[in-house]
Amino acid sequence: QVQLAEFGGGLVQAGGSLRLSCAASGGTFSYYGMGWFRQAPGKERDFVALITWSGGNTYYADSVKGRFTISRDNAKNTVYLQMNSLKPEDTAVYYCAATASMPGPSRYEYNYWGQGTQVTVAS
């Protein structure tokens, strides 16, 4: 069973950048498809990006396409989310998630979740 922990959130001005990290432990990281989701206050948890086991395939929500990049380092058991050109509407708690199946954009496809990290984008 894999445990996930996110790092790298914080306060940034609009137009700035942040890099989130998600460290995995307790499982064979390279077996898992990984996803990033986010949840703003009073809203549902929304899909942001996903990456397959080898990192060969990625997929993004339209709202972040061209600004965010997901990547992974299986040797370090870590998945990353590089966020550029941040907007106030990107403000949310960001969660990483893992699935032993083919990753998709639905949060119900993921079995394991981190505790989340807050990202706040000031206008």
Side-chain angles (χ1 to χ4, degrees):
Q1 186 167 350
V2 64
Q3 291 84 45
L4 304 173
E6 301 94 338
F7 303 94
L11 173 64
V12 65
Q13 294 294 315
S17 298
L18 279 176
R19 188 196 198 199
L20 305 183
S21 301
C22 172
S25 60
T28 304
F29 181 66
S30 59
Y31 288 178
Y32 293 90
M34 301 297 296
W36 283 98
F37 291 76
R38 65 187 182 186
Q39 188 167 18
K43 295 188 177 181
E44 293 189 351
R45 191 170 297 188
D46 291 333
F47 168 74
V48 175
L50 65 84
I51 189 166
T52 53
W53 305 275
S54 66
N57 292 96
T58 59
Y59 180 69
Y60 298 90
D62 287 343
S63 59
V64 307
K65 202 173 295 183
R67 299 189 297 123
F68 291 10
T69 302
I70 188 171
S71 62
R72 66 189 296 162
D73 185 338
N74 287 344
K76 295 183 178 179
N77 291 350
T78 302
V79 62
Y80 305 97
L81 186 69
Q82 178 67 43
M83 305 186 295
N84 298 330
S85 302
L86 282 161
K87 305 175 181 179
E89 51 263 45
D90 294 318
T91 295
V93 177
Y94 283 70
Y95 298 89
C96 70
T99 176
S101 302
M102 177 66 73
S106 170
R107 64 184 187 268
Y108 301 108
E109 300 178 62
Y110 295 81
N111 309 101
Y112 307 102
W113 293 83
Q115 81 288 351
T117 186
Q118 176 70 47
V119 171
T120 302
V121 184
S123 57

